[in-house]
Amino acid sequence: MIGSDVVIENVNKSFGDFKALDDVSIGIKKGEFFSLLGPSGCGKTTLLRIIAGFEEPQDGLVLLDGANVLPLPPDGRKVNTVFQNYALFPHLSVFENVAFSLRLKKRPESEVRERVGEYLKLVELSSHAQKKPAQLSGGQKQRVAIARALINEPSVLLLDEPLSALDAKLRQHMLIELDAIHDKIGITFIYVTHDQQEALSVSDRIAVMNAGKVLQVGTPQEIYESPATDFVAKFIGETNLFEGVIRSVRGEMTEIESPEFGTILITDVDPPPAGTRVSWTVRPEKIRIELDRPQRARDGLNVFQGVVDEPIYSGFQTKFYVKTPKATLKVIKQHADWSDEGPEIAWKEEVWLSFSAEDAFLVEVKR
Amino acid sequence: MKRGPGGLYAAPSVVWLTVFFIAPLLIIVLYSFMTPGARGGVELKPTLDAYRAIANPVFARVTFNTILVALGSTMITLLIALPCGYYMARSSKQTLLLLLVIIPFWTNFLIRIYAWIAILGNEGFLNDLLRALGLAQDSIRFLYNRWAVMLVLVYTYLPYAILPLFSTIDKFDFSLLEAARDLGATKLGAINKVLLPNIRGGILTAFLFTFIPIFGAYAVPLLVGGTESYMLGNLIADELTKSRNWPLASAISLVITLVTTIGVMLLLRANGTNVLGGGGGKEESEGKAGKLDALAGAAVVGTAAVVGAAAPAGGGR
């Protein structure tokens, strides 16, 4: 199987007054594991349905290897879908579900047996071939849906929140399997999800969407470490997001006048001029929390004092909400190495917070 | 079947069925083996005369005609009901459409047949319209033939087919059709290979709810039919009222009951579906209880239809 590149150009789609997709353009590379990530109603599923052929956009283009596929019906596109609720045919056995597209093409029985056997093996369901979908567990149904979509040898596989109906543990497991299948067959995967954890862990690149618009396209690292907008910063992972005005710029080191914290030092490769209103962010795990005041040894270390409001212990880490005089900061302390832990930090305790300028970023320029 | 104190709670329905269903059926069985009375009724002299009379070729001809009309009208009814049910299930105005299907029931069945006579008659609305438009000089005789009978039968039983089909299609997961299209099926292919097999239970229910009462039809062929559209229901009625041969009428009724019951049972067995439940594509375990229920259901539907058809004949004149 060979993957296709998919280009979405200026696609618009409205349902009545509701604008589901607002001038969306995305380029997806051959063989990429590409995620469309956003909250429900952001348009990601609509975009997937347009690529599959179940919806028609008001205008725009969808190109598969350079050819516009919009005039083609769903059965005419080299694209297959794994549906959110699996959409397995309840009246057919696992074998016949997977064989469905081959039967439509009237392939000889020997070929059908061989190919279905091969794909059932790929998803490790060989021993369940004669069962009906109702007799399968959620994870098994999921795998039948994947085998059924792949046997058609599509050049693009569309996955519409394929793991949302599974429990957390199974989801992790299926995610790893999906990734393995993608590596094995090498076609383009377009994966729709509202779960940022899923998207971050398997995608080559992610498009973050909200309210019908694409806000940022980038690798998981780019999206996590340097979010392009406030929404992306808040939607991906946990964050501390504040506003301020740029006071001075010295090289990459930028001083921000923050109403909450006084002066904040951040780094940015191309900071806007002094006087610009901006939003800035620092991830909770980048903030150090200590009982003693850190020595101001390094240049560009931001230090404040606060009171622990609420520690939330979750095994491998503890999340603290720390009250500073004018704001609350989220801080995550990873429990990596007990020798490095220091004394336990408790509720109502006075603590020192610090983060270096390299760990804080400018997000948006405000007008 | 479950065992427990439930048996006691079933007592009222057992009494009801015994008094109003099993007892009359037994009376019909007994009558069929008696000698006809001079002014109707029976004399208590056992004989097999009634069953010998069934061998008469008239009976075979009427039976053949009945099967023809019943199968034809049932097929037409289903062909109309399927798209209707589909449309209703997908529509956002379900309540309104359901109401439209049910509204005809608010008018008496006989009145609705006479309404058709008023439309199709020689001086009826349709002929008036055709004459006014200059499309016909003389009246066209629409009534009193097999086509008129089938038209009115289809009209009468359409709701009985639409409702079970609607309720099954409504439970159908339409994303399955998208999945089929996605896997390369055309629109029609998706309907054939995915929709129809999954609503088989509803189609079967609609078939039985239409075919069985049409098989026992009496009033429609009597009022809008001609001699060629004489059906078994009419034969039973005439034996009761004109020939005053109650044992023969009973014997014909029983044969119809037996034939429809066996037919329904075979259909159910072939499908393995719980008809009265509709079966929205969910696989149900087929236990002994399930089969017994299906059998009982089939017997009730079959017999009720025929007894129901014969009842107005007995009481009407």
Side-chain angles (χ1 to χ4, degrees):
Chain A
M1 278 183 240
I2 307 156
S4 289
D5 54 84
V6 181
V7 176
I8 290 141
E9 261 180 37
N10 309 103
V11 165
N12 280 287
K13 174 75 184 174
S14 302
F15 297 103
D17 288 339
F18 176 69
K19 206 150 178 51
L21 291 175
D22 189 356
D23 201 27
V24 168
S25 297
I26 302 175
I28 298 167
K29 295 173 206 151
K30 251 187 222 323
E32 205 171 20
F33 197 129
F34 191 92
S35 292
L36 299 170
L37 173 64
S40 59
C42 74
K44 55 190 193 298
T45 296
T46 306
L47 183 57
L48 198 77
R49 291 173 59 81
I50 286 173
I51 300 171
F54 301 131
E55 304 280 357
E56 242 181 285
Q58 269 87 20
D59 58 287
L61 289 175
V62 175
L63 308 169
L64 242 76
D65 289 330
N68 186 20
V69 295
L70 287 180
L72 301 175
D75 45 309
R77 304 184 185 190
K78 276 202 75 69
V79 167
N80 284 108
T81 309
V82 174
F83 291 85
Q84 186 169 11
N85 58 355
Y86 320 127
L88 299 182
F89 305 126
H91 62 297
L92 298 177
S93 66
V94 167
F95 184 95
E96 288 302 327
N97 262 281
V98 177
F100 193 82
S101 57
L102 299 180
R103 296 258 190 247
L104 282 172
K105 288 182 193 156
K106 303 222 187 322
R107 288 295 155 87
E109 184 64 28
S110 58
E111 186 195 329
V112 171
R113 294 204 163 277
E114 190 186 320
R115 299 253 315 267
V116 173
E118 183 187 321
Y119 278 88
L120 283 178
K121 210 170 143 201
L122 176 75
V123 296
E124 294 165 19
L125 281 175
S126 304
S127 57
H128 298 78
Q130 294 316 317
K131 287 188 180 166
K132 287 280 175 75
Q135 295 166 280
L136 300 180
S137 71
Q140 290 169 334
K141 286 183 197 169
Q142 180 62 72
R143 299 211 291 264
V144 177
I146 292 169
R148 187 180 67 173
L150 287 178
I151 201 166
N152 219 8
E153 303 198 325
S155 55
V156 179
L157 185 70
L158 307 176
L159 301 111
D160 185 8
E161 306 232 9
L163 307 183
S164 62
L166 304 178
D167 62 71
K169 246 195 173 144
L170 196 54
R171 200 150 48 201
Q172 279 304 314
H173 178 69
M174 283 304 300
L175 209 54
I176 294 166
E177 282 194 20
L178 264 183
D179 204 19
I181 290 172
H182 176 253
D183 288 346
K184 206 180 289 179
I185 60 175
I187 61 167
T188 312
F189 274 36
I190 303 180
Y191 186 93
V192 159
T193 181
H194 65 270
D195 186 320
Q196 35 108 2
Q197 214 62 48
E198 274 178 33
L200 289 178
S201 53
V202 289
S203 314
D204 294 319
R205 285 193 307 149
I206 299 172
V208 183
M209 296 180 67
N210 188 38
K213 286 196 166 81
V214 174
L215 303 178
Q216 187 175 4
V217 179
T219 64
Q221 287 81 0
E222 283 166 3
I223 293 213
Y224 186 80
E225 299 292 351
S226 47
T229 71
D230 291 359
F231 179 86
V232 177
K234 277 187 282 190
F235 191 72
I236 309 289
E238 292 205 58
T239 199
N240 297 293
L241 187 71
F242 297 100
E243 286 190 17
V245 177
I246 293 185
R247 190 191 280 159
S248 70
V249 177
R250 282 178 286 128
E252 289 194 355
M253 193 66 78
T254 309
E255 239 183 56
I256 294 174
E257 177 71 44
S258 156
E260 292 91 354
F261 305 103
T263 303
I264 290 287
L265 286 169
I266 67 161
T267 51
D268 196 279
V269 281
D270 185 23
T276 317
R277 270 179 65 79
V278 293
S279 59
W280 61 275
T281 178
V282 57
R283 295 286 182 188
E285 72 275 11
K286 300 281 166 61
I287 304 178
R288 262 186 93 78
I289 179 167
E290 292 158 302
L291 292 174
D292 302 320
R293 185 191 174 97
Q295 282 132 14
R296 253 188 186 270
R298 285 188 292 137
D299 191 23
L301 193 69
N302 298 288
V303 179
F304 340 94
Q305 220 177 350
V307 178
V308 173
D309 197 29
E310 215 184 311
I312 299 166
Y313 177 73
S314 56
F316 62 103
Q317 65 179 32
T318 303
K319 186 158 106 185
F320 299 94
Y321 287 89
V322 180
K323 266 192 174 158
T324 63
K326 285 183 181 162
T328 299
L329 277 171
K330 272 180 260 177
V331 180
I332 288 174
K333 187 179 165 70
Q334 308 278 353
H335 303 304
D337 183 352
W338 284 112
S339 62
D340 192 33
E341 273 300 273
E344 198 181 318
I345 296 164
W347 186 46
K348 292 282 185 204
E349 203 138 19
E350 289 226 357
V351 290
W352 287 89
L353 303 178
S354 59
F355 60 89
S356 71
E358 286 87 41
D359 286 330
F361 296 93
L362 279 186
V363 182
E364 259 182 31
V365 171
K366 304 278 174 185
R367 259 161 279 174
Chain B
M1 256 180 246
K2 268 186 275 175
R3 303 217 174 264
L8 201 64
Y9 303 118
S13 57
V14 170
V15 170
W16 177 273
L17 279 176
T18 311
V19 173
F20 295 104
F21 178 69
I22 295 173
L25 194 62
L26 280 176
I27 293 172
I28 296 177
V29 173
L30 284 175
Y31 272 28
S32 72
F33 291 103
M34 299 291 162
T35 311
R39 297 195 182 90
V42 288
E43 277 177 45
L44 290 175
K45 270 184 264 167
T47 165
L48 286 174
D49 279 357
Y51 290 93
R52 282 189 200 107
I54 284 181
N56 188 325
V58 173
F59 178 72
R61 212 186 57 233
V62 175
T63 306
F64 177 74
N65 183 56
T66 307
I67 292 174
L68 204 70
V69 170
L71 273 182
S73 348
T74 304
M75 288 306 152
I76 296 169
T77 307
L78 290 189
L79 284 179
I80 299 173
L82 252 173
C84 287
Y86 185 90
Y87 180 78
M88 282 169 69
R90 302 237 68 178
S91 167
S92 54
K93 297 190 183 82
Q94 276 186 3
T95 323
L96 177 74
L97 293 172
L98 263 174
L99 198 69
L100 288 178
V101 172
I102 292 165
I103 277 178
F105 289 118
W106 294 355
T107 310
N108 181 282
F109 167 57
L110 286 171
I111 305 281
R112 283 184 285 138
I113 301 179
Y114 280 109
W116 275 107
I117 294 174
I119 293 171
L120 299 175
N122 284 350
E123 302 302 319
F125 171 77
L126 192 58
N127 270 313
D128 284 352
L129 189 74
L130 288 176
R131 273 196 298 266
L133 291 173
L135 292 172
Q137 265 83 52
D138 302 315
S139 294
I140 299 168
R141 195 159 160 274
F142 293 112
L143 283 173
Y144 312 119
N145 56 43
R146 194 178 280 153
W147 300 112
V149 172
M150 285 173 67
L151 172 73
V152 177
L153 283 174
V154 168
Y155 158 79
T156 306
Y157 290 102
L158 195 56
Y160 295 92
I162 290 179
L163 292 177
L165 281 172
F166 160 71
S167 89
T168 324
I169 299 174
D170 198 40
K171 277 181 259 163
F172 176 75
D173 175 5
F174 284 96
S175 68
L176 295 182
L177 287 185
E178 288 190 345
R181 297 277 281 141
D182 191 69
L183 293 167
T186 57
K187 258 182 195 164
L188 215 64
I191 287 176
N192 259 331
K193 293 222 155 59
V194 175
L195 178 72
L196 292 184
N198 277 299
I199 59 164
R200 213 170 51 174
I203 296 175
L204 193 63
T205 310
F207 176 84
L208 293 177
F209 277 17
T210 331
F211 180 78
I212 292 172
I214 291 181
F215 196 70
Y218 159 74
V220 174
L222 183 75
L223 295 174
V224 301
T227 44
E228 101 221 5
S229 40
Y230 193 71
M231 290 171 71
L232 280 174
N234 307 96
L235 186 63
I236 296 170
D238 284 349
E239 289 305 332
L240 275 172
T241 58
K242 291 183 186 149
S243 316
R244 305 209 176 238
N245 190 342
W246 288 27
L248 181 55
S250 304
I252 298 170
S253 296
L254 281 178
V255 170
I256 296 173
T257 307
L258 215 65
V259 169
T260 36
T261 308
I262 290 171
V264 169
M265 268 168 57
L266 289 177
L267 256 177
L268 290 182
R269 175 169 273 203
N271 275 274
T273 332
N274 181 3
V275 188
L276 300 170
K282 212 203 289 174
E283 286 299 316
E284 277 166 59
S285 64
E286 264 180 89
K288 210 174 182 179
K291 271 188 188 141
L292 276 174
D293 283 350
L295 198 149
V300 169
V301 174
T303 324
V306 178
V307 172
R317 308 204 181 172

